[in-house]
Amino acid sequence: MSLLFRIMAIAGPAGFGGVMLAIGIILGGHWKSLPPADFLDSFGKYGGFIQRAIPLVVPTLIGLAGMLWIDWNNAATRNLWLAEAGCIAAILVLTMAYFAPSNDAFAARAVAVDQVSEKLDTWLFVHNFRIALAFAASSLGVWALSR
């Protein structure tokens, strides 16, 4: 069971980070190439597919809980797992507090066309923090296992 928890705690955030990286580079590049009205139409039509990436964080949570339980008496590794948990918590807070409402606003065309470019730039900028947090989380897990 320990091996499964380790895999989920490391591969989960790495996979999530990879998906977010693809969203940022591939979709972000495509979105930036569209006229604002076309972007809003496209996001309204296809933006829901992005939400399918969010459940990828569930294996991470299970793996982290398992590794915290297993390594609780080892302060060095426990602190690394807790740091990883902090990264994942930050990702979830950003997702729920910023991205969910922003995505809903784009999908509902509630963003004025003349503000789309600025809002999309901000979306992509903040999205980069989620990517960095996911890869930091995975790296912290690798570090914990190497101790």
Side-chain angles (χ1 to χ4, degrees):
M1 199 59 152
S2 174
L3 177 61
L4 183 59
F5 287 144
R6 289 175 181 175
I7 291 169
M8 289 190 300
I10 293 170
F16 192 62
V19 167
M20 289 188 300
L21 184 62
I23 289 169
I25 292 172
I26 298 166
L27 291 177
H30 171 66
W31 293 335
K32 297 281 293 165
S33 74
L34 296 173
D38 291 349
F39 162 73
L40 292 174
D41 289 340
S42 176
F43 201 94
K45 192 172 185 180
Y46 302 111
F49 291 116
I50 295 170
Q51 293 174 335
R52 293 181 180 181
I54 294 171
L56 290 174
V57 80
V58 173
T60 303
L61 297 173
I62 295 167
L64 273 171
M67 290 315 300
L68 281 167
W69 179 67
I70 290 167
D71 281 352
W72 191 255
N73 292 323
N74 181 337
T77 54
R78 177 185 64 226
N79 289 337
L80 290 168
W81 294 122
L82 287 170
E84 179 180 342
C87 290
I88 299 303
I91 289 169
L92 292 172
V93 167
L94 281 172
T95 300
M96 295 304 126
Y98 177 75
F99 288 96
S102 294
N103 292 356
D104 289 346
F106 284 143
R109 298 185 58 95
V111 178
V113 173
D114 63 335
Q115 295 178 354
V116 166
S117 213
E118 179 183 337
K119 299 253 185 218
L120 181 56
D121 286 343
T122 302
W123 191 101
L124 290 167
F125 180 77
V126 177
H127 185 70
N128 287 330
F129 286 106
R130 287 196 304 178
I131 295 166
L133 286 165
F135 289 132
S138 185
S139 298
L140 286 162
V142 170
W143 188 12
L145 290 182
S146 70
R147 298 198 74 142

